[in-house]
Structures are given as C-alpha cells and as structure tokens.
Amino acid sequence: MNDIQKARYKRHLLLSEIGEEGQEKLLNSKVLVIGAGGLGSPVILYLAAAGVGTLGIADFDKVDISNLQRQIIHNQSNIDIPKVESAKQKINLLNDDVNVICINQPITQENIATIIADYDLVIDATDNLATKYLINDNCVAQKKPLIHGAIKEFTGNVMTILPGTACFRCVFPDATQPKPSDKSGVFGAIAGITGTIQATEAIKYLTGVGELLTNKILSFNALTMQFNVAEISPSPYCEYSAL
C-alpha cells in the first residue's frame, strides 16, 4: 500500500483482525454486485469505501424518481440514466482505488455463468425471485461464494452461501412468485440495514475474519426491531446443495 492508501484505510489497519494483510486482500478482491437498487446501494458504497479493488455492477434499469426513497447511491440528477452509470459516478467520487465494471444488461441463463466467472464473490442485491434462483443455482454450480439478501415491506433477511453449505433453494424451495406490483410498499431504511449486513458479510469473507452467516439465515423486523438468526442445514431434497 502507498502512503495515501495507508491514510485512507487507517481505521481498518488499526483493527488487529484486518490490518495491512486484510486490507491488501480487499484491494486485490473482485466482487460482483447484481442489482444497483435498494440493497445494492449500501453494498456498493461500503465495499467501495472499504477498498475492494474491482467492483462489478450488474443492472439493466434506469434511475426513476420512485427509486430515490431508498436507493441512496442515486440522486435527482441521475433520473433516466442507467443505474450502473449512476453508481459508477458515485464510486469514482468516493474512491479512485476501485476499478468499476458496468454490466448494463439483463442477467439471463445464457450469460450468467460467463458474467460471474471472474469474480471472487457474488452479492445478490436483486428484487426478483426468479433472478435470485438463477444467481443461486449458477453460483452453487461454479462453487462461487454468494451473499443473499432480500427485503419486503418492513422485513429483511441475509444468508451467506459457500460451497457445501445450505443454499437459497434449501431454505426456499418453492420457485413460484406472484406477479410484480408497484402497489407493494417497502420501508426505505430496511434496504440500508439489509445491504449493510450484506456488505459486512462480504468484507468478513474477503478478509477471513469473524463468523459468517453460513448454514444460517438472519432475519429482522423493523417494526419491532427484533433480529433472529436461525440455524439451517443443506436440504437432502435440494439438487444444488449436493454439488
């Protein structure tokens, strides 16, 4: 690390669990964040601030005024521009150590394997159930570490999936999903809570510190501010957990 980096990451360097070795791991890491919305916003900002060397951002939406209630990486001047470009602007202002790769295309069965192949870690920050299964299945097949996050109304959940641990399908085997509705509300701040927990799990994984949410799912309810961590196991009925 150079002197500027030592000054920038001083508070990480002072943590004995991270130190220079851990910070170097972050600087040399490549993380793909799929989704630059409510969950992706805090994930991207905190990973960029932490000095993750390469951040891939995959999203195919443009910024809409209705996003600004919770998608804090965007602002009013970004309306109608691609979310990946908006996110890149903020990262460039925050930390020029970070190499940003914009993937402004839908994630599909045809392209996902190629897209995730070059990354050390994938973070699911999407809001579409079918896409979550697609991400999970391909990450498990490629033995690619994955951090899942999801929010609904006042609740959120996070789990970390490593090779051999319980995957998203082990917990949620039913792939049915109601039709999307713009009448479904979400309490804006829970995107920040959930995304920040995902970013925390990512930094822990990349630096090798702490205990990850593997074979566990963390859930919380913002109305009561109750958090729960439930133990889970790979399902014997899940074809992916056996990979």
Side-chain angles (χ1 to χ4, degrees):
M1 280 185 290
N2 58 42
D3 289 343
I4 294 175
Q5 289 173 323
K6 288 179 179 179
R8 176 186 288 274
Y9 306 116
K10 177 181 177 181
R11 296 293 179 164
H12 266 175
L13 302 184
L14 290 171
L15 295 171
S16 60
E17 295 87 348
I18 296 182
E20 287 198 26
E21 182 180 356
Q23 188 60 51
E24 289 283 2
K25 290 178 180 178
L26 292 173
L27 291 166
N28 292 320
S29 295
K30 298 179 69 175
V31 177
L32 174 64
V33 181
I34 304 179
L39 294 175
S41 291
V43 170
I44 292 164
L45 288 171
Y46 271 107
L47 294 187
V52 169
T54 298
L55 269 179
I57 307 172
D59 201 302
F60 194 52
D61 283 342
K62 292 183 179 180
V63 179
D64 182 82
I65 193 169
S66 65
N67 302 148
L68 304 183
Q69 168 253 11
R70 64 203 175 281
Q71 300 182 18
I72 58 172
I73 203 167
H74 312 299
N75 58 49
Q76 293 178 123
S77 67
N78 302 134
I79 291 173
D80 290 331
I81 74 169
K83 287 183 180 179
V84 292
E85 295 296 338
S86 172
K88 182 177 181 178
Q89 289 177 15
K90 309 310 181 304
I91 296 172
N92 289 343
L93 290 170
L94 176 62
N95 190 349
D96 56 13
D97 279 344
V98 182
N99 173 37
V100 183
I101 299 173
C102 293
I103 305 167
N104 187 26
Q105 60 182 291
I107 298 297
T108 67
Q109 185 63 64
E110 290 70 34
N111 66 19
I112 186 170
T114 300
I115 288 174
I116 69 176
D118 291 334
Y119 291 91
D120 304 313
L121 173 68
V122 178
I123 299 179
D124 174 8
T126 65
D127 60 0
N128 179 280
L129 188 58
T131 305
K132 289 185 178 298
Y133 283 115
L134 182 63
I135 295 168
N136 174 84
D137 298 349
N138 280 270
C139 283
V140 173
Q142 288 197 33
K143 301 187 183 302
K144 190 75 62 174
L146 169 65
I147 299 173
H148 156 83
I151 57 175
K152 181 181 180 182
E153 297 181 347
F154 293 92
T155 63
N157 63 65
V158 178
M159 64 183 292
T160 296
I161 301 160
L162 301 182
T165 70
C167 74
F168 182 66
R169 282 192 185 272
C170 293
V171 186
F172 305 104
D174 185 358
T176 60
Q177 181 182 29
K179 291 181 179 179
S181 171
D182 60 5
K183 295 182 180 179
S184 177
V186 60
F187 189 63
I190 68 162
I193 297 169
T194 308
T196 302
I197 294 171
Q198 287 182 278
T200 301
E201 285 289 284
I203 294 169
K204 286 162 54 184
Y205 171 78
L206 294 169
T207 58
V209 305
E211 181 179 329
L212 297 169
L213 289 168
T214 50
N215 292 322
K216 300 173 184 175
I217 184 165
L218 178 150
S219 58
F220 73 91
N221 186 321
L223 289 177
T224 59
M225 205 50 77
Q226 290 184 321
F227 285 73
N228 179 65
V229 178
E231 300 281 344
I232 55 178
S233 300
S235 170
Y237 305 104
C238 176
E239 62 180 300
Y240 291 91
S241 65
L243 294 175

